Amino acid sequence: MGKFQETGSRRELTCCKLGALVLIVSQMLMRITSGTPVPAPILPDNCTSEEGCCMPQPYTGKPARDFEGDLALPIRIRRPVHKLNESEIARLERGYKLLRELPDLDPRSLSNQANLHCLYCDNGIYYNNMTWPLEIHNHWLFLPWHRMFLYFHERILAKLLDDDTFALPYWNWDNQSSSEEANILPRIYSTNETSYLRDLNRNKCAQPPNLVHLNSIGGCTDKTADELRIENTQVMYTQIVTGAPTPRLFFGEPYSYGDSGGYGPGTFEDNPHGTVHLWVGDPDAATAFNDMGNFGRSARDPVFYTHHSNIDRIWTIWKTLPGKQRTEPTHADFLDSRFTYYDENADQVIVNLSQIINTPLLR
Ligand SMILES: *[C@@H]1O[C@H](CO)[C@@H](O)[C@H](O)[C@H]1NC(C)=O
Ligand SMILES: *[C@@H]1O[C@H](CO)[C@@H](O)[C@H](O)[C@H]1NC(C)=O
Ligand SMILES: *[C@@H]1O[C@H](CO)[C@@H](O)[C@H](O)[C@H]1NC(C)=O
Ligand SMILES: *[C@@H]1O[C@H](CO)[C@@H](O)[C@H](O)[C@H]1NC(C)=O
Ligand SMILES: *[C@@H]1O[C@H](CO)[C@@H](O)[C@H](O)[C@H]1NC(C)=O
Ligand SMILES: *[C@@H]1O[C@H](CO)[C@@H](O)[C@H](O)[C@H]1NC(C)=O
Ligand SMILES: [Cu+2]
């Protein structure tokens, strides 16, 4: 349960004919119940997490409000993490220090943000009388749900820093150039022992200067740096360019209210998204692949947010690639899905998916 690893085993399944057939037949049987967009959960009332991921009792006590966006906010520009200058690094450190100092009862704390991610994916929300829990991985809601999760993470840090220009950096693991260190675990997140960006549950083979392995199944590899650069480039090309010319291939299979988990992730969610999670997680942890390789805990590691910042960036780049179909899905079950988050004031806010793909609104 709760492992990014699962997408890897599904990939193995679909590579043989029998597996593909089983998958197609089971999809035909399971999709009968679909047809309604996902409604916004009421937190914590609708929370049924058995792992302790439920949010603290309503913190401000205010009812959830609808998200409107704030066009007065400055446009935030996310920069590559390996190119941040001294003052940007200091600001990032201070932000995570303040975040880690928030009390456990505050829904904005780093552990409660991880809990929010956990309950959206680890059987945490069974709506009344539903057979299956809400799930935001392994289908087309994956990219938009995580973009908005990052939006509030960034806004919470901005509020703590009292600096609305604050932008998350992105971990540029897709760049295999040997002239700079883009494709290693970001040094500022890993090498400074007193840093607030560190996490102790990481793969010992994922430390700098080892290169990221975008085809990782977790743990270590015998491949040389040159082999990894070539393989990583191939992964990017097949997953983002040749393998994902349509919304369905890139975003993943449809998912509607009440569906049983995901019917299949997009190429991008599977790999490199899932493989980078697995590569960073510690294979020797008591629960293997903690923290980054475990759905319930991954967002406790600050590197989660710089990883997903790159996911967000590549989604935008994908839309600019040649081909007429590189757009978001247009089905109402996609556009009208609604999610509940906590904003920078710890108030609950409900966001329509159609707002999440409106990047000017998000500034
Ligand atoms: C660091 O980068 C910021 C832009 O993000 C810039 O405003 C600032 O002047 C830079 N500081 C230094 C010391 O280079
Ligand atoms: C969510 O919780 C609210 C408040 O307790 C309840 O009225 C509602 O029926 C629940 N909704 C679903 C879909 O489970
Ligand atoms: C759940 O099912 C029971 C029994 O069928 C029904 O009485 C109840 O109204 C249902 N609750 C909701 C929120 O749909
Ligand atoms: C990678 O970084 C190099 C060096 O800065 C740059 O020239 C190149 O355009 C980048 N490539 C990609 C794919 O971003
Ligand atoms: C390590 O992190 C601490 C805490 O944020 C910071 O004060 C210090 O400057 C960092 N040291 C280096 C060498 O970056
Ligand atoms: C969000 O969705 C709700 C329910 O479908 C709708 O009433 C509302 O107008 C939508 N808001 C925006 C800003 O699209
Ligand atoms: Cu996730």
Side-chain angles (χ1 to χ4, degrees), residues 12-32:
E12 282 160 31
L13 184 73
T14 52
C15 75
C16 61
K17 280 183 183 153
L18 185 62
L21 187 66
V22 169
L23 202 72
I24 289 166
V25 172
S26 61
Q27 279 176 14
M28 284 164 58
L29 291 175
M30 290 190 297
R31 289 215 49 82
I32 293 167

Side-chain angles (χ1 to χ4, degrees), residues 26-48:
S26 61
Q27 279 176 14
M28 284 164 58
L29 291 175
M30 290 190 297
R31 289 215 49 82
I32 293 167
T33 56
S34 69
T36 308
V38 170
I42 311 286
L43 304 173
D45 299 35
N46 297 140
C47 183
T48 49

